[in-house]
Amino acid sequence: MKLLEVEGLTARYNAGDVLKGLDLTVDDGEIVALLGSNGAGKTTTLRAICGLVPHVSGSIRFAGTQILGMKTAAIARLDLAHVPEGRRLFPGLTVRDNILLGSSNRPGVARADLKREVDAMLDFFPDLKPLQHAYAWTLSGGQMQMVAVARGLMAKPKLLLLDEPSLGLGPLIVQQVFRIISQIRERGTTVLLVEQNANMALSVADRAYVLEAGTLLVSGKPDALWNNDQVRMAYLGGLAASA
Amino acid sequence: MSMLPQLLFTGVSIGSIYALVALGFVLLIRSANIVNFAQGEFSMMGAYFMVILFAGLGLPYALALVLAVVLMTVFGVAFAWITYWPLRDRGQVPVIISTIGASILLANLILATYGPSPQVLPGLFDGTGFLVGNVFMDSQYLSIIVITVVLVALQYLVFEKTMVGKKLQATSQDREMAALLGIPVVAMIFGTFAYSAALGGLAGILVAPILYVSVGIGAMIGVKAFAANIIGGFGSIPGAICGGFIIGIVETLGAAYISVPYKDAFAFVMLIVVLLVRPQGLFGERIAEKA
Ligand SMILES: Nc1ncnc2c1ncn2[C@@H]1O[C@H](COP(=O)(O)OP(=O)(O)OP(=O)(O)O)[C@@H](O)[C@H]1O
Ligand SMILES: [Mg+2]
């Protein structure tokens, strides 16, 4: 079943289209990677899905609902979570409260149940447990990334958008983050993953799209992309050739 | 016999008024990055709603007070809709100018309706007060202190312990991210305006029996509340409250021991001293335009 269907999406900020007629789908239960060089329009794609880009046209259907033109908070309340570029934690709130606020798309849930959910989330991210009462601004980059992902998962999202979760993290933490992404899928959450680290992204993804200057260059299964010379040269780096 | 305890009692009470208004002011900074220069006029409007409802329509005092505060929440929403909403994406300065414009408009609206002569409003209680030791606890001054303490405690609980409070804090720290989580940020901001206006209006009603109700009351309270924020640390909630108390005490003591005509100057002397010695304020980080 198609969970997210993007058709003919164009987006621009002020001058010039940043996305030029993008088509993209994510099926229920998939991990889909969105790759491309700096400035290709990956972040813009995720922001457009969430109603954060001022000028958009085309169609974005999520779980059967046309969400293009809807307000950001209303889109979130359809159970679509976005872990944005740069983590964007609330610096003056504790780790616990940051995670707790991830449930804001489900305002009806009782506080006692939310408390249990946060505790369960801290079990899922044991590294965060001792930090739960620390202010978010005191954390390291890797710890912040985990809080951001935990906050996203607190939405119990049908679809989780992850924008460069490995950015700025050391190799060990990157591996940990990708392990978590695999575990997220095992929990039944669908993921649209934007990454610079194409090797890692393709290792967990079911399918991938490669963007170039706002249009789709190629898409397919990881194997096919590994074997596409043009893609390998441009986006997968030297490592891919030897992998 | 020393006058000091009596003066401190008066100072804390007047300071409570400044603290309430400063609190409303700082909440808008924190929830929406809005510096509202019409905050003092909220107090003026509250007092004049009371003049209409109690003195004009003859409603019982308690009912008039509740109605006036409710009207202030509506007024706060209307104020936000007119002065803030059309300019929400234009940055801080246009909104500041718009609130300055609103304060001038409101003051002149009152001037045109009621003229320059002050109106008289009674206090919350008929009784005049009682003695504790050698301090006379005037009922109006005392009720101001009690109401302020209760409101501050309540607000602390709401902000720190409830989901709504946490969502408000999230909205103030990163509005876009708050929306991405599904927090209704627009409702949060309008709600803050409503609450802020209610606080300011209540302060105006409480202080009315002490100061008389006139056009100038808004500017006077607004300026003191602004000074309270700078002294306490711009954008800091505990700072705004302490700053309010400090100004209330300093000006009361200054008036008693130094000079009555210069009463209003002491707040500014205090402000200048703090800016020279500790420019970030007592609780603040730094006075700089937030990026
Ligand atoms: N807020 C904005 N205002 C104007 N232009 C923008 C804005 N954000 C992005 N752009 C432009 O849109 C284009 C695509 O940017 P986008 O952030 O989507 O790229 P990206 O693929 O996420 O890149 P990166 O890998 O570096 O994060 C870039 O040319 C960028 O300059
Ligand atoms: Mg990006």
Side-chain angles (χ1 to χ4, degrees):
Chain A
M1 192 199 99
K2 298 215 182 319
L3 184 59
L4 179 75
E5 266 180 291
V6 175
E7 282 172 9
L9 180 66
T10 64
R12 80 187 150 80
Y13 291 96
N14 293 311
D17 285 349
V18 172
L19 298 178
K20 301 157 189 160
L22 182 67
D23 295 323
L24 176 155
T25 61
V26 179
D27 289 344
D28 221 354
E30 273 190 315
I31 295 186
V32 173
L34 186 57
L35 310 175
S37 54
N38 291 115
K42 307 180 294 297
T43 296
T44 303
T45 305
L46 297 194
R47 289 176 62 82
I49 292 169
C50 293
L52 289 173
V53 180
H55 312 286
V56 285
S57 63
S59 161
I60 306 173
R61 297 184 70 81
F62 174 66
T65 308
Q66 178 62 245
I67 59 171
L68 191 139
M70 275 173 65
K71 292 250 164 20
T72 301
I75 294 170
R77 278 181 240 123
L78 297 174
D79 302 334
L80 191 157
H82 187 168
V83 178
E85 209 168 27
R87 291 133 201 165
R88 302 279 288 271
L89 299 185
F90 301 112
L93 291 172
T94 62
V95 166
R96 220 189 144 81
D97 284 346
N98 265 279
I99 295 174
L100 175 67
L101 282 169
S103 69
S104 300
N105 61 321
R106 305 180 282 131
V109 182
R111 192 64 191 277
D113 294 333
L114 290 179
K115 183 179 179 307
R116 270 192 293 279
E117 286 182 27
V118 172
D119 287 332
M121 198 55 72
L122 288 168
D123 289 334
F124 188 59
F125 292 90
D127 292 350
L128 296 180
K129 214 166 195 173
L131 298 168
Q132 56 177 309
H133 299 297
Y135 284 111
W137 64 268
T138 63
L139 303 188
S140 76
Q143 292 163 343
M144 283 189 190
Q145 188 62 57
M146 281 181 229
V147 177
V149 173
R151 184 176 63 181
L153 288 174
M154 269 301 280
K156 297 210 166 151
K158 294 192 186 95
L159 175 64
L160 181 67
L161 308 178
L162 288 176
D163 198 343
E164 303 215 34
S166 74
L167 190 72
L169 304 183
L172 280 176
I173 306 290
V174 169
Q175 280 183 6
Q176 194 180 352
V177 167
F178 277 92
R179 224 177 5 254
I180 288 166
I181 293 171
S182 301
Q183 287 169 357
I184 289 170
R185 189 242 306 269
E186 283 158 26
R187 292 161 53 118
T189 305
T190 309
V191 180
L192 177 56
L193 169 68
V194 162
E195 258 302 335
Q196 289 283 334
N197 191 333
N199 294 305
M200 280 303 239
L202 289 180
S203 71
V204 296
D206 301 301
R207 287 187 304 119
Y209 292 82
V210 181
L211 271 184
E212 190 176 69
T215 50
L216 203 59
L217 183 69
V218 59
S219 67
K221 301 226 180 267
D223 294 348
L225 295 180
W226 286 120
N227 296 323
N228 181 319
D229 287 339
Q230 194 190 2
V231 171
R232 199 170 58 219
M233 293 300 291
Y235 300 107
L236 303 184
L239 272 177
S242 59
Chain B
M1 185 56 71
S2 166
M3 279 163 58
L4 194 60
Q6 185 69 54
L7 289 173
L8 283 177
F9 173 72
T10 306
V12 168
S13 179
I14 296 296
S16 297
I17 295 296
Y18 301 151
L20 281 183
V21 180
L23 191 57
F25 185 84
V26 79
L27 282 176
L28 283 174
I29 295 172
R30 308 244 338 185
S31 78
N33 252 320
I34 293 158
V35 182
N36 176 22
F37 277 91
Q39 199 72 31
E41 275 67 28
F42 286 176
S43 298
M44 177 192 75
M45 291 304 292
Y48 275 97
F49 276 138
M50 201 61 188
V51 168
I52 294 170
L53 294 167
F54 177 75
L57 298 180
L59 297 179
Y61 190 88
L63 178 64
L65 187 140
V66 171
L67 272 181
V69 172
V70 171
L71 277 176
M72 280 310 295
T73 64
V74 177
F75 177 82
V77 171
F79 180 90
W81 193 54
I82 294 167
T83 62
Y84 161 72
W85 190 245
L87 300 169
R88 63 192 180 280
D89 296 324
R90 306 266 182 95
Q92 243 175 344
V93 176
V95 178
I96 289 178
I97 294 169
S98 149
T99 64
I100 293 173
S103 83
I104 297 171
L105 177 76
L106 288 170
N108 282 287
L109 217 66
I110 293 295
L111 195 60
T113 315
Y114 286 93
S117 55
Q119 310 282 320
V120 182
L121 274 178
L124 205 48
F125 300 105
D126 291 332
T128 51
F130 51 91
L131 269 173
V132 173
N134 58 359
V135 179
F136 179 68
M137 299 270 165
D138 179 279
S139 62
Q140 189 65 21
Y141 285 82
L142 187 62
S143 52
I144 289 173
I145 296 174
V146 170
I147 289 173
T148 302
V149 168
V150 169
L151 281 176
V152 166
L154 227 115
Q155 184 181 312
Y156 171 81
L157 287 179
V158 168
F159 248 64
E160 297 301 324
K161 305 290 172 203
T162 71
M163 206 63 191
V164 170
K166 288 171 205 243
K167 286 178 183 174
L168 277 169
Q169 292 190 62
T171 305
S172 78
Q173 290 173 27
D174 188 338
R175 202 185 315 177
E176 185 178 279
M177 190 62 228
L180 277 174
L181 295 182
I183 295 172
V185 290
V186 175
M188 293 283 151
I189 290 170
F190 275 81
T192 310
F193 266 104
Y195 179 63
S196 173
L199 269 185
L202 181 64
I205 295 169
L206 290 174
V207 82
I210 296 171
L211 291 182
Y212 294 112
V213 184
S214 72
V215 183
I217 200 178
M220 192 279 279
I221 293 179
V223 160
K224 301 275 174 66
F226 188 77
N229 269 285
I230 308 279
I231 288 172
F234 203 68
S236 155
I237 289 178
I241 295 163
C242 293
F245 283 125
I246 289 170
I247 290 182
I249 292 169
V250 166
E251 72 174 27
T252 306
L253 294 183
Y257 291 122
I258 303 171
S259 155
V260 173
Y262 284 105
K263 175 167 165 278
D264 288 341
F266 296 116
F268 302 107
V269 172
M270 188 66 211
L271 183 64
I272 291 165
V273 170
V274 168
L275 284 177
L276 287 175
V277 178
R278 197 177 153 81
Q280 73 273 41
L282 300 177
F283 290 76
E285 293 117 49
R286 233 168 359 102
I287 299 181
E289 192 170 338
K290 274 202 244 165

